[in-house]
Short mmCIF file of all heavy atoms in Angstrom, two decimals:
data_model
loop_
_atom_site.label_atom_id
_atom_site.label_comp_id
_atom_site.label_asym_id
_atom_site.label_seq_id
_atom_site.Cartn_x
_atom_site.Cartn_y
_atom_site.Cartn_z
N MET T 1011 1.48 16.38 13.54
CA MET T 1011 0.79 17.50 12.89
C MET T 1011 -0.08 18.16 13.97
O MET T 1011 -0.71 17.54 14.78
CB MET T 1011 -0.09 16.97 11.70
CG MET T 1011 0.77 16.36 10.65
SD MET T 1011 0.03 16.21 8.99
CE MET T 1011 0.13 17.87 8.40
N THR T 1012 -0.04 19.52 13.95
CA THR T 1012 -0.79 20.28 14.86
C THR T 1012 -1.78 21.19 14.18
O THR T 1012 -1.84 21.34 12.98
CB THR T 1012 0.20 21.16 15.68
OG1 THR T 1012 0.95 22.00 14.84
CG2 THR T 1012 1.17 20.28 16.51
N GLY T 1013 -2.65 21.81 14.97
CA GLY T 1013 -3.70 22.66 14.43
C GLY T 1013 -5.08 22.26 14.93
O GLY T 1013 -6.02 22.98 14.64
N ALA T 1014 -5.17 21.16 15.56
CA ALA T 1014 -6.38 20.70 16.23
C ALA T 1014 -6.24 20.74 17.75
O ALA T 1014 -5.06 20.96 18.16
CB ALA T 1014 -6.70 19.28 15.77
N PRO T 1015 -7.22 20.60 18.53
CA PRO T 1015 -7.02 20.62 19.98
C PRO T 1015 -6.13 19.57 20.54
O PRO T 1015 -5.57 19.71 21.63
CB PRO T 1015 -8.46 20.40 20.55
CG PRO T 1015 -9.32 20.93 19.44
CD PRO T 1015 -8.61 20.51 18.16
N VAL T 1016 -5.85 18.53 19.78
CA VAL T 1016 -4.88 17.41 20.15
C VAL T 1016 -3.99 17.21 18.98
O VAL T 1016 -4.43 17.36 17.76
CB VAL T 1016 -5.57 16.14 20.62
CG1 VAL T 1016 -6.43 16.34 21.84
CG2 VAL T 1016 -6.39 15.54 19.50
N PRO T 1017 -2.72 16.80 19.21
CA PRO T 1017 -1.83 16.53 18.05
C PRO T 1017 -2.19 15.21 17.35
O PRO T 1017 -2.70 14.30 17.99
CB PRO T 1017 -0.49 16.48 18.69
CG PRO T 1017 -0.73 16.10 20.11
CD PRO T 1017 -2.10 16.68 20.47
N PHE T 1018 -2.00 15.24 16.07
CA PHE T 1018 -2.16 14.02 15.23
C PHE T 1018 -0.72 13.53 14.90
O PHE T 1018 0.16 14.26 14.61
CB PHE T 1018 -2.72 14.34 13.88
CG PHE T 1018 -4.20 14.65 13.88
CD1 PHE T 1018 -4.82 15.47 14.78
CD2 PHE T 1018 -5.01 14.03 12.87
CE1 PHE T 1018 -6.16 15.72 14.70
CE2 PHE T 1018 -6.38 14.28 12.81
CZ PHE T 1018 -6.97 15.10 13.77
N TYR T 1019 -0.54 12.21 15.03
CA TYR T 1019 0.73 11.59 14.69
C TYR T 1019 0.47 10.64 13.53
O TYR T 1019 -0.30 9.63 13.70
CB TYR T 1019 1.31 10.82 15.88
CG TYR T 1019 1.78 11.78 17.04
CD1 TYR T 1019 0.95 12.17 17.98
CD2 TYR T 1019 3.08 12.29 16.98
CE1 TYR T 1019 1.34 13.11 18.96
CE2 TYR T 1019 3.44 13.22 17.98
CZ TYR T 1019 2.59 13.59 18.94
OH TYR T 1019 3.00 14.47 19.87
N LEU T 1020 1.10 10.90 12.43
CA LEU T 1020 1.01 10.09 11.22
C LEU T 1020 2.18 9.06 11.36
O LEU T 1020 3.37 9.52 11.43
CB LEU T 1020 1.10 10.85 9.97
CG LEU T 1020 0.07 11.97 9.80
CD1 LEU T 1020 0.27 12.72 8.53
CD2 LEU T 1020 -1.33 11.41 9.90
N LEU T 1021 1.90 7.85 11.38
CA LEU T 1021 2.89 6.75 11.53
C LEU T 1021 2.97 5.92 10.32
O LEU T 1021 2.00 5.28 9.93
CB LEU T 1021 2.53 5.92 12.77
CG LEU T 1021 2.28 6.70 14.09
CD1 LEU T 1021 1.78 5.73 15.14
CD2 LEU T 1021 3.47 7.41 14.52
N ARG T 1022 4.14 5.91 9.68
CA ARG T 1022 4.35 5.14 8.48
C ARG T 1022 4.49 3.62 8.81
O ARG T 1022 5.33 3.26 9.54
CB ARG T 1022 5.57 5.59 7.63
CG ARG T 1022 5.62 4.89 6.28
CD ARG T 1022 6.83 5.35 5.51
NE ARG T 1022 8.05 5.13 6.16
CZ ARG T 1022 8.62 3.90 6.28
NH1 ARG T 1022 8.03 2.78 5.75
NH2 ARG T 1022 9.74 3.78 6.90
N LYS T 1023 3.47 2.90 8.31
CA LYS T 1023 3.47 1.43 8.56
C LYS T 1023 3.15 0.77 7.21
O LYS T 1023 2.17 1.12 6.59
CB LYS T 1023 2.41 1.04 9.60
CG LYS T 1023 2.44 1.74 10.87
CD LYS T 1023 3.62 1.23 11.75
CE LYS T 1023 3.57 1.96 13.11
NZ LYS T 1023 4.55 1.41 14.00
N GLU T 1024 3.98 -0.10 6.77
CA GLU T 1024 3.77 -0.77 5.44
C GLU T 1024 2.54 -1.57 5.40
O GLU T 1024 2.15 -2.24 6.42
CB GLU T 1024 5.03 -1.65 5.16
CG GLU T 1024 6.31 -0.92 4.99
CD GLU T 1024 6.30 0.02 3.77
OE1 GLU T 1024 5.71 -0.28 2.76
OE2 GLU T 1024 6.90 1.12 3.92
N ALA T 1025 1.84 -1.48 4.28
CA ALA T 1025 0.70 -2.37 4.05
C ALA T 1025 1.21 -3.88 4.19
O ALA T 1025 2.31 -4.13 3.78
CB ALA T 1025 0.08 -2.17 2.66
N GLY T 1026 0.47 -4.65 4.82
CA GLY T 1026 0.81 -6.10 5.06
C GLY T 1026 1.65 -6.30 6.32
O GLY T 1026 1.80 -7.43 6.71
N SER T 1027 2.13 -5.21 6.94
CA SER T 1027 2.85 -5.41 8.21
C SER T 1027 1.90 -5.86 9.30
O SER T 1027 0.66 -5.60 9.16
CB SER T 1027 3.63 -4.12 8.59
OG SER T 1027 2.80 -3.07 8.81
N GLU T 1028 2.43 -6.37 10.39
CA GLU T 1028 1.57 -6.85 11.43
C GLU T 1028 0.87 -5.74 12.16
O GLU T 1028 1.53 -4.81 12.60
CB GLU T 1028 2.34 -7.71 12.43
CG GLU T 1028 1.43 -8.38 13.49
CD GLU T 1028 2.16 -9.39 14.37
OE1 GLU T 1028 3.19 -9.84 13.96
OE2 GLU T 1028 1.59 -9.65 15.42
N GLY T 1029 -0.41 -5.84 12.36
CA GLY T 1029 -1.18 -4.86 13.09
C GLY T 1029 -1.59 -5.51 14.43
O GLY T 1029 -0.91 -6.35 14.94
N ALA T 1030 -2.76 -5.10 14.91
CA ALA T 1030 -3.23 -5.62 16.23
C ALA T 1030 -3.65 -7.03 16.14
O ALA T 1030 -4.23 -7.47 15.09
CB ALA T 1030 -4.44 -4.72 16.69
N ALA T 1031 -3.45 -7.77 17.19
CA ALA T 1031 -3.91 -9.17 17.39
C ALA T 1031 -3.47 -10.09 16.11
O ALA T 1031 -4.27 -10.89 15.75
CB ALA T 1031 -5.41 -9.16 17.55
N GLY T 1032 -2.31 -9.80 15.58
CA GLY T 1032 -1.75 -10.67 14.59
C GLY T 1032 -2.36 -10.35 13.16
O GLY T 1032 -2.07 -11.07 12.19
N SER T 1033 -3.28 -9.36 13.07
CA SER T 1033 -3.84 -9.09 11.76
C SER T 1033 -2.75 -8.27 10.92
O SER T 1033 -1.87 -7.71 11.49
CB SER T 1033 -5.16 -8.28 11.87
OG SER T 1033 -4.91 -7.02 12.50
N SER T 1034 -2.98 -8.25 9.66
CA SER T 1034 -2.08 -7.47 8.82
C SER T 1034 -2.73 -6.22 8.40
O SER T 1034 -3.93 -6.14 8.16
CB SER T 1034 -1.63 -8.24 7.59
OG SER T 1034 -2.68 -8.61 6.76
N ARG T 1035 -1.97 -5.12 8.31
CA ARG T 1035 -2.49 -3.81 7.92
C ARG T 1035 -2.85 -3.81 6.45
O ARG T 1035 -2.17 -4.34 5.64
CB ARG T 1035 -1.40 -2.72 8.13
CG ARG T 1035 -1.18 -2.38 9.60
CD ARG T 1035 -0.19 -1.20 9.64
NE ARG T 1035 -0.04 -0.84 11.06
CZ ARG T 1035 0.77 -1.48 11.93
NH1 ARG T 1035 1.48 -2.54 11.48
NH2 ARG T 1035 0.87 -1.10 13.15
N ASN T 1036 -3.96 -3.12 6.16
CA ASN T 1036 -4.31 -2.82 4.76
C ASN T 1036 -4.89 -1.44 4.77
O ASN T 1036 -5.39 -0.94 5.82
CB ASN T 1036 -5.23 -3.86 4.12
CG ASN T 1036 -6.66 -3.76 4.69
OD1 ASN T 1036 -7.34 -2.79 4.37
ND2 ASN T 1036 -7.04 -4.69 5.45
N TYR T 1037 -4.82 -0.78 3.66
CA TYR T 1037 -5.33 0.60 3.57
C TYR T 1037 -6.46 0.73 2.64
O TYR T 1037 -6.81 1.76 2.14
CB TYR T 1037 -4.11 1.53 3.27
CG TYR T 1037 -3.14 1.60 4.40
CD1 TYR T 1037 -1.97 0.83 4.29
CD2 TYR T 1037 -3.45 2.28 5.54
CE1 TYR T 1037 -1.04 0.87 5.38
CE2 TYR T 1037 -2.53 2.30 6.60
CZ TYR T 1037 -1.32 1.59 6.51
OH TYR T 1037 -0.50 1.57 7.57
N ARG T 1038 -7.24 -0.41 2.52
CA ARG T 1038 -8.49 -0.32 1.85
C ARG T 1038 -9.49 0.23 2.88
O ARG T 1038 -9.24 0.26 4.08
CB ARG T 1038 -9.01 -1.72 1.39
CG ARG T 1038 -8.08 -2.30 0.27
CD ARG T 1038 -8.60 -3.68 -0.13
NE ARG T 1038 -8.83 -4.56 1.01
CZ ARG T 1038 -7.83 -5.43 1.58
NH1 ARG T 1038 -6.63 -5.41 1.01
NH2 ARG T 1038 -8.18 -6.23 2.47
N ARG T 1039 -10.67 0.70 2.51
CA ARG T 1039 -11.66 1.17 3.43
C ARG T 1039 -11.98 0.10 4.39
O ARG T 1039 -12.23 -1.10 4.01
CB ARG T 1039 -12.91 1.67 2.67
CG ARG T 1039 -13.98 2.20 3.60
CD ARG T 1039 -13.52 3.46 4.36
NE ARG T 1039 -14.61 4.05 5.12
CZ ARG T 1039 -14.67 4.12 6.40
NH1 ARG T 1039 -13.74 3.55 7.15
NH2 ARG T 1039 -15.73 4.67 7.02
N HIS T 1040 -11.92 0.37 5.68
CA HIS T 1040 -12.21 -0.61 6.68
C HIS T 1040 -13.16 0.06 7.74
O HIS T 1040 -13.25 1.25 7.87
CB HIS T 1040 -10.96 -1.07 7.40
CG HIS T 1040 -10.07 0.04 7.85
ND1 HIS T 1040 -9.16 0.63 7.04
CD2 HIS T 1040 -9.98 0.67 9.01
CE1 HIS T 1040 -8.50 1.62 7.71
NE2 HIS T 1040 -9.01 1.64 8.90
N TRP T 1041 -13.78 -0.80 8.51
CA TRP T 1041 -14.75 -0.27 9.52
C TRP T 1041 -14.10 -0.52 10.83
O TRP T 1041 -13.39 -1.47 11.17
CB TRP T 1041 -16.06 -1.07 9.42
CG TRP T 1041 -17.02 -0.61 10.49
CD1 TRP T 1041 -17.91 0.46 10.32
CD2 TRP T 1041 -17.22 -1.09 11.82
NE1 TRP T 1041 -18.61 0.59 11.48
CE2 TRP T 1041 -18.21 -0.34 12.42
CE3 TRP T 1041 -16.62 -2.15 12.51
CZ2 TRP T 1041 -18.66 -0.54 13.71
CZ3 TRP T 1041 -17.03 -2.39 13.79
CH2 TRP T 1041 -18.11 -1.60 14.36
N SER T 1042 -14.33 0.45 11.77
CA SER T 1042 -13.88 0.38 13.11
C SER T 1042 -15.00 1.02 13.99
O SER T 1042 -15.63 1.99 13.60
CB SER T 1042 -12.56 1.16 13.35
OG SER T 1042 -12.30 1.31 14.72
N PRO T 1043 -15.20 0.46 15.19
CA PRO T 1043 -16.22 1.07 16.03
C PRO T 1043 -15.73 2.39 16.62
O PRO T 1043 -16.52 3.12 17.22
CB PRO T 1043 -16.44 0.00 17.15
CG PRO T 1043 -15.15 -0.75 17.17
CD PRO T 1043 -14.68 -0.77 15.74
N ILE T 1044 -14.48 2.75 16.40
CA ILE T 1044 -13.98 4.04 16.82
C ILE T 1044 -13.67 4.83 15.58
O ILE T 1044 -12.91 4.37 14.66
CB ILE T 1044 -12.69 3.84 17.68
CG1 ILE T 1044 -13.05 3.07 18.96
CG2 ILE T 1044 -12.06 5.20 17.99
CD1 ILE T 1044 -11.82 2.74 19.81
N HIS T 1045 -14.10 6.05 15.54
CA HIS T 1045 -13.74 6.96 14.43
C HIS T 1045 -13.69 8.35 15.06
O HIS T 1045 -14.03 8.61 16.20
CB HIS T 1045 -14.76 6.89 13.32
CG HIS T 1045 -16.12 7.47 13.67
ND1 HIS T 1045 -17.10 6.74 14.24
CD2 HIS T 1045 -16.62 8.70 13.49
CE1 HIS T 1045 -18.14 7.46 14.47
NE2 HIS T 1045 -17.91 8.67 14.03
N LEU T 1046 -13.11 9.29 14.28
CA LEU T 1046 -12.96 10.67 14.74
C LEU T 1046 -13.98 11.56 14.06
O LEU T 1046 -14.21 11.46 12.84
CB LEU T 1046 -11.51 11.09 14.48
CG LEU T 1046 -10.48 10.33 15.18
CD1 LEU T 1046 -9.13 10.80 14.77
CD2 LEU T 1046 -10.67 10.42 16.69
N ASP T 1047 -14.51 12.52 14.83
CA ASP T 1047 -15.45 13.60 14.32
C ASP T 1047 -14.64 14.93 14.39
O ASP T 1047 -14.04 15.15 15.43
CB ASP T 1047 -16.69 13.73 15.14
CG ASP T 1047 -17.58 12.49 15.08
OD1 ASP T 1047 -17.39 11.66 14.19
OD2 ASP T 1047 -18.48 12.33 15.92
N LEU T 1048 -14.67 15.67 13.29
CA LEU T 1048 -14.11 16.93 13.34
C LEU T 1048 -15.27 18.01 13.28
O LEU T 1048 -16.09 17.98 12.36
CB LEU T 1048 -13.15 17.17 12.10
CG LEU T 1048 -11.97 16.29 12.05
CD1 LEU T 1048 -11.20 16.56 10.77
CD2 LEU T 1048 -11.06 16.54 13.25
N VAL T 1049 -15.27 18.82 14.33
CA VAL T 1049 -16.33 19.90 14.37
C VAL T 1049 -15.80 21.10 13.64
O VAL T 1049 -14.68 21.55 13.88
CB VAL T 1049 -16.66 20.22 15.86
CG1 VAL T 1049 -17.61 21.34 15.94
CG2 VAL T 1049 -17.14 19.03 16.60
N VAL T 1050 -16.57 21.52 12.62
CA VAL T 1050 -16.20 22.61 11.79
C VAL T 1050 -17.26 23.70 11.80
O VAL T 1050 -18.39 23.51 12.20
CB VAL T 1050 -15.96 22.13 10.32
CG1 VAL T 1050 -14.88 21.13 10.23
CG2 VAL T 1050 -17.29 21.57 9.80
N GLU T 1051 -16.84 24.93 11.52
CA GLU T 1051 -17.76 26.06 11.48
C GLU T 1051 -18.69 26.00 10.25
O GLU T 1051 -19.88 26.40 10.34
CB GLU T 1051 -16.98 27.36 11.50
CG GLU T 1051 -16.26 27.67 12.76
CD GLU T 1051 -17.18 27.91 13.91
OE1 GLU T 1051 -18.26 28.56 13.75
OE2 GLU T 1051 -16.89 27.40 15.06
N ASP T 1052 -18.14 25.60 9.16
CA ASP T 1052 -18.81 25.59 7.86
C ASP T 1052 -18.69 24.26 7.18
O ASP T 1052 -17.63 23.97 6.62
CB ASP T 1052 -18.27 26.78 6.97
CG ASP T 1052 -18.97 26.84 5.60
OD1 ASP T 1052 -19.61 25.86 5.15
OD2 ASP T 1052 -18.91 27.91 4.99
N LEU T 1053 -19.66 23.39 7.31
CA LEU T 1053 -19.60 22.04 6.83
C LEU T 1053 -19.38 22.01 5.29
O LEU T 1053 -18.60 21.18 4.78
CB LEU T 1053 -20.86 21.28 7.17
CG LEU T 1053 -20.85 19.76 6.75
CD1 LEU T 1053 -19.88 19.00 7.63
CD2 LEU T 1053 -22.21 19.17 6.79
#
């Protein structure tokens, strides 16, 4: 997907499939020390 200064790649990965370091993916709200900020003209 384009329209931002860098492209976004949406990757289909099943819930429960293996993620990083042997953990399983889930799509409940999760915390990460890395997140993205979108700068907008009109918040």
